């Protein structure tokens, strides 16, 4: 297994409920290191650009409206097999299908308000980390 980096977002439904620290504790308990982190308010253009891969999906408009509805915390996580490890810690997209002990099972409200984002592959992890962070902001 290789040391990887992945992009995490704590979404507006979670920042609104003051869950940043609780979610970070799940991340760290899984052996992932939060090597960069900032709390920001996305603009409409930024949210549309970040989720451009989903622009043909029926829920695209609702998704970007949700992502700009409040602050988000964007993070880079580092660790062995970090991309797949974080997807496991997150749980299924729909919390109704998520495994016990995952972030989405324990905190998500519904399939849209599902508390966290995590990159799904090495290529998207590289693009998504560069979308939010410059090299000077990252120290492993
Ligand atoms: P994941 O975040 O698990 O990788 P997707 O990439 O498929 O899931 O979807 C991106 C985000 O879009 C989800 O995390 C969720 O916030 C939202 N979403 C996905 N499916 C739906 C749906 N059927 N209705 C509303 N929002 C959805
Ligand atoms: Mg996805």
């Amino acid at each position: 297994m290789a040391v990887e980096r992945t992009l995490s977002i704590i979404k507006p439904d979670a920042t609104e409920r003051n869950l940043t620290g609780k979610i970070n504790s799940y991340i760290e308990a899984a052996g992932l290191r939060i090597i960069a982190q900032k709390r920001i308010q996305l603009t409409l253009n930024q949210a549309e650009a970040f989720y451009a891969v989903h622009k043909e999906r029926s829920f695209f408009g609702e998704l970007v409206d949700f992502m700009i509805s409040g602050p988000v915390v964007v993070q880079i996580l580092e660790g062995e097999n970090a991309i797949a490890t974080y997807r496991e810690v997150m749980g299924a997209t729909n919390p109704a299908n998520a495994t016990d002990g995952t972030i989405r099972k324990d905190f998500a409200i519904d399939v849209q308000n599902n508390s966290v984002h995590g990159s799904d592959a090495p290529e998207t992890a590289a693009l998504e980390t560069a979308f939010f962070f410059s090299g000077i902001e990252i120290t492993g």
Side-chain angles (χ1 to χ4, degrees):
M1 280 194 299
V3 173
E4 293 177 334
R5 290 176 176 179
T6 192
L7 192 279
S8 165
I9 306 177
I10 301 178
K11 295 183 178 182
D13 69 286
T15 60
E16 204 275 330
R17 289 176 289 148
N18 208 21
L19 293 172
T20 299
K22 284 205 173 78
I23 289 173
N24 282 351
S25 74
Y26 281 54
I27 290 169
E28 292 181 342
L32 297 168
R33 305 180 72 85
I34 301 165
I35 63 165
Q37 175 171 258
K38 57 190 173 188
R39 181 174 166 108
I40 58 174
Q41 172 65 54
L42 288 174
T43 66
L44 179 61
N45 281 347
Q46 289 166 345
E48 287 179 343
F50 182 77
Y51 276 120
V53 64
H54 293 311
K55 65 177 183 296
E56 306 304 333
R57 310 273 288 270
S58 59
F59 57 79
F60 179 70
E62 278 177 46
L63 173 60
V64 297
D65 283 350
F66 162 58
M67 291 299 290
I68 67 172
S69 67
V72 296
V73 176
V74 293
Q75 309 172 307
I76 300 176
L77 313 182
E78 184 180 80
E80 292 283 338
N81 211 18
I83 298 165
T85 298
Y86 189 45
R87 296 289 307 192
E88 279 175 31
V89 175
M90 288 163 57
T93 306
N94 187 338
N97 303 325
T99 303
D100 284 351
T102 61
I103 293 168
R104 284 167 165 170
K105 177 71 172 191
D106 290 353
F107 301 118
I109 296 168
D110 57 33
V111 68
Q112 177 181 266
N113 296 267
N114 62 2
S115 301
V116 282
H117 166 88
S119 307
D120 59 11
E123 299 72 30
T124 47
L127 288 170
E128 290 176 0
T129 54
F131 185 90
F132 286 111
F133 294 95
S134 63
I136 201 167
E137 295 177 293
I138 307 167
T139 176

